[in-house]
Amino acid sequence: MYTDLFLKTHRVPTITAEERAALEQAVVRTATYSPKQIIVRQQAPLTQCTLLLEGFVERYKDTPEGRRQILAIHIPGDFVDLHSYPLKRLEHSVAALTDVRVALFPHADVRALTKESASLTELLWRSTLIDAAINREWIVSIGARSAAIRLAHLFCEMYTRLKRIGQAETTTFPLPLTQVDLADATGLTAVHANRMLRQLRERGMLAFRQGEVEILDWDALRDFAKFDPAYLFFD
């Protein structure tokens, strides 16, 4: 079912079988994208919301000088643009990092869901607020954490989120990002990110090779990053 992973991440509020069926029936179609293909273009008019079913997606903005800032990394089960429902466009772009499959929810159907069910309204609203909480944590990283801790914190977050949906069953798991992606997500240069990855490896906490993460010492990594998953609201 399209919403399985979304509901694995967002378990509050509890919805009925009828409400889940209504959420499923709001999917008008699915679509696929290739790596680097734009899914949502900045300022383009939007009439539907996008739920990620498979693959990894980035939200980003590019500066006039060509520098990219990744604003979010989305995993299966995430709505990548639910806030487009009231706004009708995004001030940033969304692109595939890997091969991607998505489910599309027309805005008219999202409106119907929120009109008919208070629980679905709360569920969708809550998921958007959690996106905002994650974004705030990323701002803290870029503004107040050292380079190595920024990367450690990001790896802790991605491991925790992927484990929640059953896609990080062990401490070795795929995370199909390049070192450039990691740099763009943490406000570093690729060279600096490479040095910090080497530092994490030499400290025996984590190894990152060709899109695969091996957490060597979870307790040490979590303590180093001072990672507290409360901002993910896994109630």
Side-chain angles (χ1 to χ4, degrees):
M1 298 176 76
Y2 299 121
T3 59
D4 282 353
L5 295 181
F6 173 69
L7 294 174
K8 269 191 174 183
T9 300
H10 302 285
R11 301 176 186 176
V12 178
T14 302
I15 60 173
T16 66
E18 291 77 14
E19 287 168 329
R20 177 167 184 167
L23 190 61
E24 289 282 336
Q25 290 164 10
V27 176
V28 67
R29 64 184 178 91
T30 62
T32 58
Y33 295 88
S34 301
K36 301 187 183 301
Q37 189 172 359
I38 293 177
I39 299 170
V40 178
R41 192 175 296 277
Q42 179 177 332
Q43 297 298 345
L46 296 173
T47 60
Q48 59 196 10
C49 297
T50 308
L51 175 64
L52 184 58
L53 302 177
E54 298 171 10
F56 287 71
V57 156
E58 62 176 341
R59 276 197 254 164
Y60 68 92
K61 292 195 77 164
D62 290 334
T63 69
E65 297 75 27
R67 180 69 191 270
R68 174 161 297 187
Q69 180 65 53
I70 295 179
L71 307 169
I73 296 170
H74 286 293
I75 65 173
D78 288 353
F79 272 100
V80 305
D81 61 349
L82 190 56
H83 44 303
S84 77
Y85 162 57
L87 296 175
K88 307 308 179 191
R89 64 183 186 276
L90 301 184
E91 86 296 343
H92 59 275
S93 296
V94 178
L97 287 165
T98 63
D99 289 326
V100 158
R101 187 167 72 96
V102 301
L104 300 172
F105 292 71
H107 287 171
D109 291 281
V110 175
R111 175 181 288 276
L113 290 172
T114 59
K115 184 177 180 180
E116 294 166 10
S117 168
S119 293
L120 287 176
T121 300
E122 182 181 345
L123 179 68
L124 296 174
W125 187 18
R126 194 172 187 275
S127 74
T128 302
L129 294 175
I130 292 172
D131 275 351
I134 294 172
N135 184 252
R136 287 190 291 273
E137 196 69 29
W138 280 38
I139 292 171
V140 172
S141 280
I142 291 173
R145 292 182 175 125
S146 70
I149 292 177
R150 290 182 209 179
L151 284 168
H153 199 278
L154 178 60
F155 283 118
C156 287
E157 177 189 303
M158 297 308 299
Y159 171 63
T160 302
R161 291 168 60 198
L162 288 166
K163 187 176 181 181
R164 176 78 164 184
I165 62 170
Q167 295 195 7
E169 298 291 353
T170 71
T171 51
T172 298
F173 58 94
L175 185 63
L177 307 175
T178 66
Q179 288 189 16
V180 172
D181 294 329
L182 290 173
D184 289 345
T186 53
L188 304 172
T189 66
V191 171
H192 199 179
N194 180 267
R195 287 202 299 266
M196 295 304 99
L197 288 170
R198 185 168 66 249
Q199 184 180 122
L200 294 176
R201 184 177 66 250
E202 290 171 350
R203 292 187 179 191
M205 291 186 282
L206 176 141
F208 178 73
R209 308 180 190 89
Q210 297 180 330
E212 184 175 86
V213 177
E214 181 184 4
I215 296 177
L216 304 171
D217 188 332
W218 168 247
D219 290 338
L221 183 69
R222 181 191 58 206
D223 291 346
F224 177 70
K226 296 181 173 59
F227 178 72
D228 179 354
Y231 69 96
L232 298 174
F233 290 91
F234 285 170
D235 297 331

